[in-house]
Amino acid sequence: KFYQHATTEASQATLASVSPVFAVMKLDKEGNTTYFEKKKTELYQELGLQARDLRFQHLMSIATRNNRIIMRMEFLKAVITPEFLLILDYRNLNLEHWLFNELASQLAGEGQLVTYSLPFEFRAIEAILQYRISKLQGRLNTLQPQILETLEALVDPKLLSVDRSKLHILLQNGKSLSELETDLKVFKETILEILDEEELIEELCLSKWTDPQVFEESTSGIDHAEEMELLLENYYRQAEDLANEARELRVLIDDSESIIFINLDSHRNVMMRLNLQLTMGTFSLSLFGLIGVAFGMNLESSLEEDPRIFWLVTGIMFLGSGLIWRRLLSFLGRHLEPPLPPHVPAVLKKSQPAAGRVEIRSNLKAETFGLSRSTLTNQ
């Protein structure tokens, strides 16, 4: 027994010595900031949490445990209590500007957050959600002009070929857009899971169960759970708007791919038609060139003595070849002409302007690149 007890103490000491150390930024209600380092074991014991609560995964998460809110937003790891906010592993280039210049003033109620009159956890949650939304908005604002500029260069009908460098840029932007859509989907799903459960919304209101004044306000008619629900719904709608904009960009990329294929097919058809015309011309010359071949044989006749026969035979060859080539071109033109449009009755002609307006409205996206679908169809 003594040996087992000594072994257990030694293993615990070893685990404590190798346990990760968090660089912690602590912000209180007044916006005062302190910095310190603490081991993971000491930190979760001090906060009354379990070790798994500080085992942050890469996915976004919002959870409550022992009157504490544990949030993970990409690189941001935070623990919210009714009195203070802890930012773990804050030494990140993507976080420094926001942490040192904006977060403290937002928590102190000096910013433009709408929760300045509500308990501290409301301000902390809104500050973190606002940071995450602003990051997603910034990524979308960076991608949108790049994608529009690349698509505008690719769908130009005057180009006979597609610039591969532009296609490479579009591929990279498409991957970034897919990652943005995934992050927006995860953000929306995380918020929606909380909105679907009233108990989770109640658990996010920490001061309601610890501060008697806040509890009295809740019982007197100021429903903090409803305020928390409105707060989460606001950022859910913002994420939904960003997802709609990203979806519109995805639709533009898909439509532009169709336009590029139409342009390439059009140029390919022109080259095939030219090749066919040259083939018919070669066939015509070869057909009447047999006359020259026949006269060029080493056979004696009375025609080679007349100097006018050469010009006569040469003229017949070129004239016959030209007639045959013209005949083949007219045959090709008759079979490649588009069919005539069907006759439109007078009753349907009255509703045509409305349909035209619908078509114009549906083609606004394509007109952004200086080319509409109807123009491409005619080409």
Side-chain angles (χ1 to χ4, degrees), residues 60-190:
M60 173 183 170
S61 62
I62 302 175
T64 56
R65 171 88 63 177
N66 195 18
N67 206 32
R68 304 284 189 268
I69 300 175
I70 307 165
M71 299 184 67
R72 165 80 186 214
M73 297 283 177
E74 199 176 10
F75 301 107
L76 178 63
K77 309 170 186 177
V79 179
I80 303 173
T81 70
E83 294 82 18
F84 55 84
L85 166 65
L86 298 180
I87 304 295
L88 310 181
D89 290 341
Y90 65 92
R91 293 169 182 172
N92 190 297
L93 295 177
N94 297 325
L95 298 176
E96 286 184 353
H97 176 75
W98 173 69
L99 289 175
F100 295 107
N101 299 330
E102 300 179 12
L103 181 58
S105 60
Q106 290 176 351
L107 295 178
E110 299 175 2
Q112 297 180 357
L113 301 182
V114 298
T115 55
Y116 60 90
S117 60
L118 292 172
F120 174 76
E121 65 269 15
F122 284 79
R123 300 197 296 271
I125 291 175
E126 183 165 10
I128 295 175
L129 292 180
Q130 187 183 44
Y131 165 77
R132 182 58 176 162
I133 284 292
S134 63
K135 280 292 182 181
L136 296 174
Q137 180 72 56
R139 290 168 57 184
L140 181 62
N141 293 338
T142 303
L143 281 175
Q144 189 171 15
Q146 295 178 0
I147 292 176
L148 293 179
E149 182 181 358
T150 305
L151 293 180
E152 185 177 359
L154 286 175
V155 299
D156 189 357
K158 298 179 181 179
L159 298 178
L160 298 178
S161 60
V162 178
D163 190 355
R164 293 186 178 180
S165 62
K166 296 291 184 181
L167 287 178
H168 180 71
I169 295 174
L170 182 62
L171 178 61
Q172 297 297 328
N173 291 333
K175 291 181 180 179
S176 301
L177 183 62
S178 299
E179 295 175 358
L180 176 60
E181 289 177 336
T182 302
D183 292 341
L184 286 170
K185 180 181 179 182
V186 172
F187 184 90
K188 289 165 51 183
E189 289 178 351
T190 304

Side-chain angles (χ1 to χ4, degrees), residues 204-223:
L204 293 178
C205 302
L206 304 180
S207 301
K208 183 177 180 179
W209 314 109
T210 57
D211 191 347
Q213 181 180 358
V214 175
F215 183 78
E216 292 177 0
E217 292 178 356
S218 301
T219 55
S220 62
I222 302 176
D223 192 351

